[in-house]
Amino acid sequence: MNEVSKNANTFHVAGDGSLDIGPLHGAVVAIGNFDGVHRGHRAVIGAALSRARGLNRKAAALTFSPHPRLFLRPQDALFQLSSERDKMRLLATTGLDGAIVMKFDAQLAATSAEDFIEKILVGRFGIGGAAIGFDFHFGHKRAGSPEYLAEQGARLGFAVDIVAPLEDEGRPVSSGAVRAALAKGRVVEAAELLGAPWFVSGEVIHGEKRGRELGFPTANIKLDPACGLKHGIYAVRVAIDDVRYDGVASFGVRPTFDDGAPLLEVFLFDFDGDLYGQRIDVAFIGWIRPERKFSSVDALKRHMQTDASQARDALKRAGKAFPLLGEI
């Protein structure tokens, strides 16, 4: 186990309930959904930080909640890479001074691109500049392009940095690419795109206590039903308060027992304690194997020993890999 280092920077989160965004008024804004805060997002954030330093202004993320796709297409499940809380924790480590979180609702969805720029970015937030990804669109029916924002910025007195696409060994760095990697269990590939291991956080709940009976007591977490992570066994690293533990986790439906609702079950090495009701962070470090149905409980127990051994090896190879998370 290892001690968790904390980020001491103050990160201001401004909600959408008021015209007053406090110290973030006049900031240079990085605009986007920032799901997962991957390396492409960080390039946009980096452009905003660079311009903000040149202007001696603060820099902030301008993002939306819920994710626009959830509002516009509620019938379609969306595998979100990070919860709203965890997205703020990731953004808090980027060097930004804070985040402006706009509520995405019918009113915002109906706002024209022109009004979004003139009435919100300029009139309401008084932005000092903007950075935006090459493919990010905004305004009613996504009519506002990065180029349109740059044109209007030149007219209204603020500069816009349009950030080119980022690739990693020929792969586009995007939230969609991360989701696709996780859907195949390729957590190492996902980490390369994100810049750090993918993680989830959640409250430990009571389960069926089968793990304890098998000699592998687990901390159980229900993930979002839309989670698209491949069912299987993973090497994981877990943060509990200020301490990290290595472990092995199963995500799936427990086919040997009940084929129930998907559940994340985490067995921590070198840990003995009660975690019920506590919130923990679970980072996915390595893939071990797919979930499978065993012919007997004894066969499952033997395989769990092998899984744990392989997880220890994967974690040793990964060093101290863990996402940097800030406090909000």
Side-chain angles (χ1 to χ4, degrees):
M1 58 184 174
N2 301 289
E3 294 297 316
V4 176
S5 59
K6 291 191 174 183
N7 180 4
N9 294 335
T10 300
F11 187 78
H12 184 83
V13 179
D16 197 41
S18 165
L19 290 175
D20 180 17
I21 58 170
L24 301 182
H25 190 273
V28 175
V29 294
I31 305 173
N33 292 314
F34 301 116
D35 186 23
V37 194
H38 57 62
R39 288 167 52 207
H41 294 145
R42 290 173 188 270
V44 177
I45 290 166
L49 287 167
S50 179
R51 184 163 296 278
R53 283 193 289 266
L55 296 172
N56 196 28
R57 288 177 179 257
K58 292 186 181 297
L62 175 58
T63 188
F64 309 92
S65 179
H67 192 294
R69 277 175 56 184
L70 287 173
F71 178 84
L72 296 171
R73 303 205 301 269
Q75 72 279 7
D76 296 338
L78 174 62
F79 173 17
Q80 292 188 267
L81 299 173
S82 51
S83 67
E84 291 301 319
R85 174 180 177 271
D86 289 338
K87 180 167 73 173
M88 293 301 111
R89 296 169 73 200
L90 289 165
L91 289 172
T93 68
T94 61
L96 291 171
D97 296 289
I100 303 166
V101 184
M102 296 195 69
K103 182 180 180 181
F104 197 92
D105 55 14
Q107 181 178 352
L108 186 58
T111 300
S112 69
E114 181 180 11
D115 281 350
F116 180 78
I117 296 169
E118 292 189 1
K119 296 183 179 180
I120 296 175
L121 296 185
V122 177
R124 184 172 173 184
F125 301 149
I127 68 168
I132 191 169
F134 73 101
D135 60 349
F136 189 84
H137 288 68
F138 59 94
H140 184 53
K141 295 185 177 179
R142 303 180 76 246
S145 67
E147 292 73 21
Y148 179 72
L149 179 62
E151 292 170 3
Q152 295 304 303
R155 179 175 68 86
L156 295 167
F158 63 89
V160 175
D161 294 290
I162 301 174
V163 179
L166 181 67
E167 290 190 351
D168 179 271
E169 298 181 354
R171 299 169 300 187
V173 178
S174 67
S175 298
V178 177
R179 293 185 190 106
L182 294 173
K184 296 177 181 178
R186 296 176 180 172
V187 293
V188 173
E189 179 181 335
E192 291 169 353
L193 297 170
L194 289 165
W198 180 68
F199 83 103
V200 297
S201 64
E203 181 179 309
V204 177
I205 62 172
H206 289 274
E208 297 295 328
K209 307 295 192 295
R210 290 197 189 100
R212 189 171 302 278
E213 295 168 3
L214 296 170
F216 288 83
T218 58
N220 303 322
I221 300 174
K222 280 188 178 179
L223 302 186
D224 188 312
C227 178
L229 178 68
K230 183 174 181 176
H231 290 182
I233 312 301
Y234 295 87
V236 297
R237 185 160 286 139
V238 178
I240 304 169
D241 294 327
D242 295 340
V243 183
R244 291 179 190 156
Y245 296 88
D246 288 349
V248 61
S250 169
F251 177 61
V253 297
R254 304 160 304 283
T256 302
F257 296 104
D258 59 8
D259 283 318
L263 187 68
L264 178 63
E265 301 171 286
V266 183
F267 171 66
L268 300 177
F269 305 144
D270 310 313
F271 177 84
D272 183 20
D274 183 354
L275 293 175
Y276 294 123
Q278 289 195 52
R279 178 171 286 274
I280 64 175
D281 299 316
V282 183
F284 291 78
I285 307 298
W287 165 260
I288 305 299
R289 63 170 175 84
E291 186 177 44
R292 55 173 286 198
K293 184 173 182 176
F294 289 89
S295 59
S296 68
V297 171
D298 285 341
L300 171 61
K301 288 171 68 173
R302 287 194 297 271
H303 223 94
M304 289 171 72
Q305 294 285 356
T306 302
D307 295 338
S309 177
Q310 292 181 1
R312 287 184 186 273
D313 290 342
L315 288 156
K316 186 176 181 179
R317 291 193 301 270
K320 295 183 178 181
F322 198 83
L324 182 62
L325 302 173
E327 294 186 0
I328 55 171

